[in-house]
Structure formats: C-alpha cells, structure tokens
Amino acid sequence: MKLRRIICLMLALLSVAAVLFSCEEKPPVTEGTTEADTTEKKEDDKPKNDGFYGLKFERPITVAAYGGSGSAYSRMYVLKDGRIICAWPSTDGGKRCMKAVFSEDDGKTWSKIRVLFYGEDQTKTLANVDIIQLESGQVLMAYRSNDREASGGYSSIRIHASDDNCETFYPHSIVCELQQTGLKDGVSWGLWEPDFCYVNGKLTCFFAIGKTVYKEPVIPSTDIFEWDEAEKKWVQAHYTSNDTGKTDRNGMPIVDKLSTGGYLMTVETKRFYSARGSTLLPYLLYSADGVHWKGVTGCFFPENTASGGSPYWVELPDGRIVVAFQTDEDVEGTIYDTGDDKCKVTKIVVSNPGVDITKAHSWDWSESYDPFNTSLGSFGNWPGMFIHNDYLYIYTSTNDPIGSIELVRAYVGDMKK
C-alpha cells in the first residue's frame, strides 16, 4: 500500500511538471507591425478553450492590426455577396475617416486595410459605426459626428452610402442633429451609437440621445427614427425612454427580432448604479411590436462594484441569448471606470436553457466568461456578435499584444431547440 502511494505521488508530480514545461510565454510585440498585417494567429499563440455552456471557441484570429493603444470601436456585417466587412473609425494622415477590411472565407483571413471615406467636416468626430445592406444592394453606414463644445455644441447621426458594393461611398442623409448652447461643462448630451434594424418592415435607426428637455438635460435614453422612402428623409418615431429624473440610462441600443416574434434590445444602464456602485450594467428591454418597450432584466451582476457597458446580443439556434459586454470584473491592477482602453475586457453571459427571455430574471444567466482569454493588464472592449454559416462570431478591440481587432468563432450548427 505504501509503495502504491509513492508511485501515485511520483506520477502526479510528473504530470504537473509536464504541464509547466508545455506553457510558453506570449511572443513580444513585433516592431514595425503595420495596419496591413491581418492574419490568423499561430496554433500555439493561445490555448484552445474547452467550451463554455455548449460554446467551444476556436483560437482568436487577428482581423486588423491597426497599431496604437486605443480602441477601434468596430462593427462587422455579412454582405449579400458572402463577404464579411469589418469597419471602424480611424484617421489617415491626420484626417478623420472610416476604414475597413474584408473577408471572403468566413473570417479566417482578411484583406489589407483601406479607407472607405473621410468625414464631411473634419472639425467633428467620426465614431460609433453601424452597417446594413438593403434589398436593393445599397450599403449604409451610420455614425456619430459631434463637436460638443459647451458654448455651441453640435451633435448628429449621419449616414454614408455605397451603391457599388463598398467600393465607393458618398454622403447619404442625416438621421438627427442637435445644436446646443449654454450648457455647463460635464452635462451629458448629444447623439451616440446608432444601430440599424428593420421594425415592422421599416428601416429604423436606434441611437442613444441626451438633450435638453424642458428645463432638465436628459441623460441618454433611446431615440428611434424611421426612414421615409417617399420623402427621402428620417422621421422621428418615438423614445423607448425619456427619463428626466435621471434614475435610468438607456444608452447604446442593440436591437433585433427574436425567432419567437417581438424585438429585444440591450442597453447599458445606470438603473442599478446607486444600489451597488457600478457605473453601468447591461440591461434588456422587450417590445412585442417594436414600438412600446418594457424593461425585462439585468444579466450581469458581479459580486464587486465592477461595471459592464457596451452590450451586444444574439440569439443562438437553440433559443438561448448571448450578451457580450466590456467589464472591469477580474481585471488586475486597475479600479473601475478609469477608461475603456485601460481596464475593460470583453466577457459574455448566456441565458439558461428554456428561459423565456421576455420574462427572464437576473438569476437566469450563466457566470461571465472571457472567450478571448485576455492577458492580465491588457484590454478588450466594444464587442460585437453575429451568427453566420453555423458559427457564432464574437469580435473585440484589444491591445493584447498590440492594437488590433480580434475575432473568435464557435460552431453552433448542431444546436436545436
């Protein structure tokens, strides 16, 4: 018996040693890396995940290595010709512009980076892109264009369009614009984060809005504009919320239709801020008709005062909902709310099987999980997701190990309700 114990102990020690010797340090940042360097990472760059609630993620793929240490705030979209486009606001020779890369093999490899168009007014920002292709083949890109000086601030949601499958773009329309004067420094106002969706057959643009209503500035709620094809202009439809009491904050809407009918929206909210010390947390709203919205549930409640912003959601083939967001939960060496590029990483949560999302509760969700396995001290933020050809795609901006857009995929083709 004693000899057997000694042999078992020796075998256990040998197993531990084998694991330790098999681990390799992450390669250092390569000097001279350019924006054109877009490729799939080597097999030994990062370990393959064993799976998370039925999702087995492949190794990360570098979509675009843009350099620098800031976030790209990118969005992806599957075009009608099968290509995937990834676009993000950037600069070119000091000029604000929209850049993009394309993939013709389901995201495995990506083209060189090119400029799609430059901002109409270089005194204003160009950020928060969203993409949609219409039945006609026309591609629309919405973005915010702001100059928020307190003495005479201007804010707008603008659209550029392409009629030749993203070869060239031109100014298309202005969804909404605001001119604010006399606001004090620090007042939250302006137009942010557009998101396209067809609602009841109408092309609709959702976006976060904070502006002066009566005598009080409204912190960001969600505004909805519809495209009037006859008039060739955008028309305000309604708010999903308009909270002058500042007890809520429905910012950064992501809207899509559920397979069971009705519409789901994720937002970042201050609804739980005062009770727990988090600055923002992801929240879900539901609408049966896309017009009248009601709050459903939070989906991420960390044990500490961590926050969770920039949420994005998709529905899996088995009906479960995945929500991705940036959070400072378990981020080492930082405190919460010190900036996107310093302390946030992309994580996801998944709803439990069989949960009716229209009646969900905060306990109906999995624990949070980082599918990118982000290194300590690095960031990963502004996530996005979509399902294409039986794969769930999740992408994020990161500086691990360099400023880049990273993508992971998980096969979902065998999921059934």
Side-chain angles (χ1 to χ4, degrees):
M1 182 66 68
K2 185 175 181 181
L3 179 60
R4 181 181 298 176
R5 289 181 179 177
I6 293 174
I7 292 173
C8 290
L9 178 61
M10 292 178 65
L11 290 174
L13 291 174
L14 288 172
S15 298
V16 171
V19 170
L20 291 175
F21 280 113
S22 66
C23 295
E24 297 182 2
E25 292 185 358
K26 185 174 292 187
V29 177
T30 304
E31 293 184 3
T33 301
T34 67
E35 289 190 329
D37 296 327
T38 59
T39 183
E40 186 171 3
K41 290 189 173 182
K42 295 179 181 179
E43 285 295 310
D44 58 352
D45 275 351
K46 286 190 177 182
K48 187 173 183 178
N49 297 308
D50 292 330
F52 171 76
Y53 288 81
L55 298 172
K56 294 183 179 181
F57 292 100
E58 300 173 346
R59 291 177 175 84
I61 297 170
T62 299
V63 175
Y66 55 81
S69 59
S71 297
Y73 301 107
S74 61
R75 283 289 179 256
M76 292 188 186
Y77 188 84
V78 181
L79 298 169
K80 293 184 182 299
D81 63 5
R83 292 182 302 162
I84 303 174
I85 179 175
C86 176
W88 68 96
S90 185
T91 59
D92 178 57
K95 297 178 64 177
R96 293 182 171 115
C97 66
M98 191 71 69
K99 292 182 178 179
V101 290
F102 297 83
S103 175
E104 298 181 356
D105 56 7
D106 291 342
K108 298 182 184 68
T109 61
W110 294 83
S111 67
K112 292 184 177 181
I113 296 171
R114 68 181 179 90
V115 175
L116 296 181
F117 59 87
Y118 294 92
E120 295 178 76
D121 186 343
Q122 288 294 313
T123 66
K124 296 176 175 58
T125 62
L126 192 160
N128 302 145
V129 63
D130 195 50
I131 311 166
I132 194 169
Q133 187 170 25
L134 310 183
E135 287 298 321
S136 65
Q138 186 180 55
V139 176
L140 302 181
M141 283 193 181
Y143 59 94
R144 65 171 166 89
S145 181
N146 294 350
D147 183 4
R148 299 194 321 133
E149 294 297 328
S151 60
Y154 172 84
S155 184
S156 64
I157 301 294
R158 294 172 177 264
I159 292 178
H160 266 61
S162 173
D163 297 329
D164 53 12
N165 213 20
C166 297
E167 289 300 315
T168 60
F169 281 82
Y170 60 89
H172 175 275
S173 56
I174 297 177
V175 179
C176 182
E177 57 184 344
L178 298 175
Q179 186 74 49
Q180 298 282 341
T181 58
L183 293 179
K184 296 180 180 179
D185 291 337
V187 172
S188 178
W189 75 276
L191 309 176
W192 314 89
E193 302 138 355
D195 180 64
F196 287 119
C197 181
Y198 273 97
V199 177
N200 300 319
K202 295 182 179 180
L203 177 61
T204 306
C205 185
F206 295 76
F207 54 91
I209 179 171
K211 68 177 182 179
T212 301
V213 177
Y214 304 110
K215 295 182 179 180
E216 296 187 37
V218 178
I219 59 177
S221 58
T222 302
D223 213 346
I224 306 172
F225 275 61
E226 295 175 349
W227 176 251
D228 187 322
E229 180 62 27
E231 297 291 332
K232 300 295 183 184
K233 66 179 183 180
W234 294 89
V235 179
Q236 185 179 30
H238 37 255
Y239 292 102
T240 59
S241 66
N242 188 9
D243 191 352
T244 57
K246 298 186 179 181
T247 58
D248 203 350
R249 181 196 186 281
N250 288 344
M252 194 176 167
I254 299 295
V255 186
D256 207 346
K257 193 169 186 178
L258 292 164
S259 62
T260 53
Y263 301 85
L264 191 68
M265 177 191 300
T266 50
V267 295
E268 54 184 19
T269 181
K270 285 188 175 181
R271 179 180 294 267
F272 314 103
Y273 173 79
S274 59
R276 52 174 297 103
S278 304
T279 53
L280 293 171
L281 288 173
Y283 190 66
L284 285 81
L285 297 93
Y286 171 75
S287 174
D289 57 8
V291 177
H292 303 93
W293 293 85
K294 64 176 182 179
V296 177
T297 179
C299 58
F300 172 62
F301 291 89
E303 294 182 359
N304 52 24
T305 58
S307 297
S310 304
Y312 204 108
W313 76 274
V314 295
E315 181 181 7
L316 295 175
D318 60 10
R320 291 181 298 161
I321 303 298
V322 181
V323 179
F325 50 90
Q326 61 185 38
T327 176
D328 56 340
E329 182 189 46
D330 303 325
V331 175
E332 188 173 281
T334 61
I335 60 174
Y336 70 89
D337 202 28
T338 58
D340 287 349
D341 301 338
K342 296 181 181 179
C343 66
K344 306 293 194 301
V345 299
T346 287
K347 289 191 175 185
I348 64 172
V349 292
V350 183
S351 63
N352 295 333
V355 170
D356 181 352
I357 194 61
T358 68
K359 301 176 182 178
H361 299 280
S362 59
W363 55 81
D364 288 329
W365 300 85
S366 67
E367 296 180 359
S368 62
Y369 174 75
D370 176 7
F372 295 92
N373 193 27
T374 311
S375 300
L376 293 177
S378 301
F379 72 77
N381 54 33
W382 196 262
M385 295 187 291
F386 61 98
I387 292 179
H388 172 59
N389 284 349
D390 292 332
Y391 278 86
L392 168 66
Y393 291 68
I394 306 178
Y395 55 94
T396 191
S397 299
T398 185
N399 62 349
D400 182 14
I402 59 172
S404 61
I405 301 166
E406 299 291 312
L407 166 70
V408 292
R409 307 190 316 163
Y411 182 70
V412 296
D414 54 3
M415 288 185 178
K416 296 180 180 180
K417 287 189 177 180

